[in-house]
Amino acid sequence: MKGLFITIEGTDGAGKSTQIELLTEYLSKKGRDVLVTREPGGTPIGEKIREIILDTENSEMSDITEAMLYAASRAQHVNEKIKPALLEGKIVICDRFVDSSIAYQSSARGISRELIEDINKYAVCGITPDITLYFDITPEEGIKRKKNMHKLDRIEKEKEDFHKRVYDGYQNLLKLYPERIKRVDASQSISDVHKQVIEYINKIL
Ligand code: TYD
């Protein structure tokens, strides 16, 4: 792969979107060809799957259905968008990827990590992030921020202990993949968080 694959992770409300905008601006100014995308979604088919997953009316959705829908959205995304962009040499910035499924569907929902990794093996076709920035903020602070922004979706509406398990899941991933996953202190000001992001990205460029 000629390009660079950057994924952005964190609990809900960690401020990923603002930082992705700032990073994109920074890289574009440097003359880099950047593709910004997100999960679940990123393609017309993926966005339809996203609607099903996040719809608050779908309260009966089983955990395994949820896990497979995230992976289905990802499979389409990798094949239609991410892989071609990387082959063209672009920098791809993806808001959430497989680590989200480990944190949410495995650590928080309780599906085994092996099963989530297995399903996702089929979805990603060998594509793995070159670097993952993990935006670290307490789940309480994150949900407080989200509540101030919009109506909560099906996942955000989960109880406090669900978000705590997602948080613990990410802490575990940080320990498992210290080479790939870099911790960003997301409790700082927007400009200070941006500085941390730039430092990590410049190291890998
Ligand atoms: P989104 O509105 O994109 O949340 P955020 O802005 O916090 O990224 O909604 C995506 C939700 O889906 C979010 O709560 C995390 C969850 N999710 C999973 O549970 N598993 C996954 O594999 C992915 C990609 C997201």
Side-chain angles (χ1 to χ4, degrees), residues 12-13 16 39-40 50 54 70 74 95-97 100-101 104-105 146 153 155-156:
D12 293 83
K16 292 181 283 106
E39 291 205 350
R50 176 187 173 93
L54 299 181
Y70 278 113
R74 184 163 298 132
D95 187 349
R96 300 193 179 281
F97 200 59
S100 282
S101 284
Y104 285 78
Q105 280 64 56
K146 277 272 165 173
D153 64 38
I155 305 287
E156 288 159 356

Side-chain angles (χ1 to χ4, degrees), residues 8-83:
I8 310 290
E9 294 283 350
T11 47
D12 293 83
K16 292 181 283 106
S17 312
T18 311
Q19 292 300 329
I20 288 172
E21 273 174 36
L22 292 173
L23 174 61
T24 307
E25 207 178 298
Y26 175 84
L27 291 170
S28 302
K29 273 192 190 145
K30 281 185 144 217
R32 301 286 181 148
D33 201 352
V34 187
L35 172 80
V36 180
T37 189
R38 69 161 180 188
E39 291 205 350
T43 64
I45 293 172
E47 290 294 329
K48 285 187 184 163
I49 299 174
R50 176 187 173 93
E51 274 174 36
I52 300 173
I53 299 174
L54 299 181
D55 189 342
T56 48
E57 280 186 13
N58 289 339
S59 54
E60 319 90 278
M61 189 181 293
S62 76
D63 293 349
I64 190 72
T65 305
E66 182 184 280
M68 291 175 107
L69 285 175
Y70 278 113
S73 162
R74 184 163 298 132
Q76 187 63 30
H77 196 200
V78 168
N79 281 288
E80 187 180 329
K81 211 165 166 185
I82 297 175
K83 203 169 175 182

